[in-house]
Amino acid sequence: MMNRLRLTPIYGDDDMITHVIGIQFFTEADIDLGPVPGTSIKESAKSSDRFRSYLSAFRPAVLLGERNICRGVCGMLQLSDEVLALKILSKLAPRDIASIGSVCRRLYDLSKNEDLWRMVCQNAWGSETTRVLEAVPGAKRLGWGRLARELTTLEAATWRKVTVGGSVEPSRCNFSACAVGNRVVLFGGEGVNMQPMNDTFVLDLNASNPEWQHVQVSSPPPGRWGHTLSCVNGSHLVVFGGCGRQGLLNDVFVLDLDAKPPTWREISGLAPPLPRSWHSSCTLDGTKLIVSGGCADSGVLLSDTFLLDLSMEKPIWREIPVAWKPPSRLGHTLSVYGGRKILMFGGLAKSGPLRFRSSDVFTMDLSEDEPCWRCVTGSGMPGAGNPGGMAPPPRLDHVAVSLPGGRILIFGGSVAGLHSASQLYLLDPTDEKPTWRILNVPGRPPRFAWGHSTCVVGGTRAIVLGGQTGEEWMLGELHELSLANSVI
């Protein structure tokens, strides 16, 4: 049986809601409860056998003398524990599993199983997110059930200050940082007298005493700043665009950080976008680079969106054709959610002859045959692109963190007015009516956080480079926003 709850408001004489009636509807569900195929669980045989032996230890649920008597009351509870877990409970969202554990003792015991929780997280968040979280130090000790709760409620989120060794010399700003597993990679930047840099540094956060290491790489790209650095296909990094010694760039270079020796390789993609800097980029399916907007020659702002499939033998740039584009901008963010959907937030946007910091939100579903930008509307002015709730103040070069389940966390950047850059804002674009909410987190947040010098490690930690003063060259000091207690 499947059920849904309909809430009906009751209005008084003055058109004010005085009561709400809740009516629960039960409908028959067509669920295949046949034998479980051996390939239905993407687990190792050892893990699968352990799970089945755990489940078989339960007696058929007839809880005589208890408050909950299953026999003759609910047909679903007459199913075996294995079918209940693999065919029904594993399809629910993490919040629902937590709730269903309060129905009876049998479901409570089932809801405590770690293998069930892993399947729930994988179905809700996707295989790639689950794989990343599995590699987080301490995740196994924390457990999937608790990890799911903490990443859903963000109850354990906290700031902390970290001091690391080593150095990044010469000093620089406007570099780009990216995470590869539990390593932070820094490339390029703007040195003294606007000198473009082309060196690579790595900080291994798994080390007992993390310190910056200068990586000797072959065939480095031309020096640049205002570029983007993204991770694709596990340990590969991809650099696009930026401003170099001869002006703006539109070249692409890829580096396999685990290769011996690591070597930068230029990708000669056909039909490249215009040269640009301060654009935004993200990666899709672990193989595709998406580039949006930025600043072209003579300070012209751009509004285009391009895709480059790096899994092809000879990659070809493809502009995503759309009937309508958001206003041209630079310093905005692109975030991936829900598999193949992207969300654009903020930036310095063009408005007629003027440019303003923005708090607009736009989304695009790249799984559609004809993708299009959609304006996420709410309590703002018509067409303003603002969801409801307390929206973040307009900003550019901020941080956007994609959370499991599709939510987006925004903080930092160059913020309009006297607002704090360290305040966190949360948005779930998958909601029927997306609404911003403020997230208050304990600990010592940085006074400044810039999008190009912040990265997300292991899906649970946002690493902000630059120290308490916000000066990017103070790279021996960083701030960490930990979203779960995954033992640091």
Side-chain angles (χ1 to χ4, degrees):
M1 303 291 286
M2 302 292 287
N3 70 82
R4 59 190 177 92
L5 181 66
R6 176 182 294 172
L7 298 178
T8 305
I10 306 300
Y11 294 87
D13 295 334
D14 55 355
D15 289 333
M16 297 291 288
I17 296 177
T18 58
H19 299 77
V20 176
I21 296 179
I23 305 173
Q24 198 160 20
F25 294 83
F26 293 87
T27 56
E28 186 173 352
D30 183 16
I31 301 177
D32 175 18
L33 300 179
V36 181
T39 58
S40 65
I41 311 175
K42 298 179 180 177
E43 297 281 343
S44 65
K46 182 178 178 181
S47 174
S48 183
D49 291 341
R50 185 177 70 250
F51 187 28
R52 285 182 170 82
S53 64
Y54 172 88
L55 293 173
S56 63
F58 288 100
R59 295 178 292 108
V62 181
L63 306 179
L64 299 176
E66 300 272 350
R67 184 164 56 96
N68 301 294
I69 301 178
C70 300
R71 178 178 290 167
V73 176
C74 179
M76 186 181 80
L77 292 179
Q78 295 180 18
L79 301 172
S80 70
D81 291 327
E82 184 178 353
V83 170
L84 259 179
L86 300 178
K87 288 290 188 178
I88 298 176
L89 300 184
S90 67
K91 311 301 182 188
L92 300 179
R95 285 184 185 273
D96 296 332
I97 292 292
S99 299
I100 206 169
S102 64
V103 172
C104 66
R105 181 173 295 174
R106 181 185 177 203
L107 291 179
Y108 173 81
D109 289 336
L110 276 175
S111 70
K112 296 301 178 184
N113 182 264
E114 276 297 295
D115 294 278
L116 171 63
W117 270 109
R118 189 191 185 285
M119 288 189 291
V120 168
C121 292
Q122 180 167 309
N123 287 332
W125 301 339
S127 300
E128 177 62 21
T129 299
T130 307
R131 184 190 62 78
V132 170
L133 292 175
E134 208 161 29
V136 173
K140 188 173 183 179
R141 183 163 84 253
L142 192 67
W144 282 104
R146 184 173 172 187
L147 189 62
R149 188 189 78 199
E150 292 185 356
L151 290 179
T152 299
T153 64
L154 298 178
E155 62 190 49
T158 184
W159 282 106
R160 74 178 188 124
K161 184 178 175 181
V162 181
T163 300
V164 297
S167 62
V168 175
E169 297 291 344
S171 62
R172 70 201 60 206
C173 62
N174 295 333
F175 53 82
S176 195
C178 178
V180 176
N182 289 296
R183 293 170 291 180
V184 176
V185 182
L186 181 155
F187 173 77
E190 178 185 354
V192 178
N193 298 324
M194 299 180 68
Q195 174 76 16
M197 321 287 284
N198 70 342
D199 41 6
T200 305
F201 293 83
V202 174
L203 176 69
D204 187 354
L205 295 175
N206 272 354
S208 54
N209 295 297
E211 59 180 36
W212 287 105
Q213 300 280 352
H214 182 210
V215 180
Q216 298 294 334
V217 295
S218 302
S219 308
R224 67 195 64 208
W225 45 272
H227 53 286
T228 52
L229 180 69
S230 310
C231 180
V232 293
N233 194 21
S235 62
H236 290 73
L237 293 160
V238 55
V239 163
F240 172 76
C243 185
R245 190 182 304 274
Q246 305 300 324
L248 295 177
L249 301 163
N250 63 348
D251 50 1
V252 178
F253 285 82
V254 172
L255 170 73
D256 183 355
L257 198 62
D258 291 338
K260 304 295 182 186
T263 303
W264 284 102
R265 177 171 55 93
E266 184 169 9
I267 303 294
S268 300
L270 299 176
L274 287 173
R276 66 192 66 202
S277 63
W278 298 115
H279 50 280
S280 184
S281 70
C282 63
T283 57
L284 200 66
D285 303 331
T287 60
K288 300 175 182 66
L289 176 69
I290 298 174
V291 171
S292 163
C295 183
D297 283 326
S298 304
V300 175
L301 298 187
L302 301 169
S303 62
D304 51 6
T305 304
F306 279 80
L307 183 147
L308 181 68
D309 187 349
L310 293 166
S311 66
M312 298 174 60
E313 185 177 346
K314 294 184 177 180
I316 300 174
W317 282 101
R318 179 173 66 88
E319 182 172 7
I320 299 174
V322 290
W324 175 83
K325 301 175 182 179
S328 307
R329 64 192 61 215
L330 62 79
H332 52 298
T333 51
L334 287 184
S335 305
V336 178
Y337 71 98
R340 297 180 57 82
K341 297 176 182 177
I342 57 175
L343 180 143
M344 177 191 293
F345 173 78
L348 184 70
K350 186 176 180 182
S351 178
L354 304 177
R355 299 178 179 186
F356 296 101
R357 291 180 181 87
S358 164
S359 59
D360 296 345
V361 179
F362 305 95
T363 61
M364 176 189 287
D365 187 351
L366 291 171
S367 65
E368 296 176 343
D369 292 335
E370 297 182 359
C372 63
W373 284 109
R374 294 178 174 88
C375 188
V376 181
T377 57
S379 60
M381 296 293 287
N386 288 322
M390 183 67 73
R395 64 191 64 207
L396 72 146
D397 196 15
H398 49 277
V399 181
V401 180
S402 296
L403 300 176
R407 293 165 300 163
I408 308 295
L409 190 66
I410 299 289
F411 66 93
S414 172
V415 183
L418 300 176
H419 300 281
S420 168
S422 60
Q423 180 65 66
L424 276 66
Y425 295 85
L426 193 65
L427 179 71
D428 189 346
T430 66
D431 282 347
E432 184 178 350
K433 292 184 178 180
T435 301
W436 286 107
R437 72 179 181 93
I438 290 177
L439 182 66
N440 293 313
V441 173
R444 292 182 57 188
R447 288 180 55 206
F448 303 94
W450 308 111
H452 61 273
S453 57
T454 300
C455 58
V456 179
V457 174
T460 62
R461 294 184 286 170
I463 304 298
V464 179
L465 306 178
Q468 185 66 27
T469 64
E471 303 292 0
E472 296 170 63
W473 49 83
M474 295 180 61
L475 296 176
E477 182 181 293
L478 55 85
H479 286 77
E480 177 183 287
L481 173 62
S482 180
L483 302 174
N485 269 322
S486 32
V487 356
I488 295 160

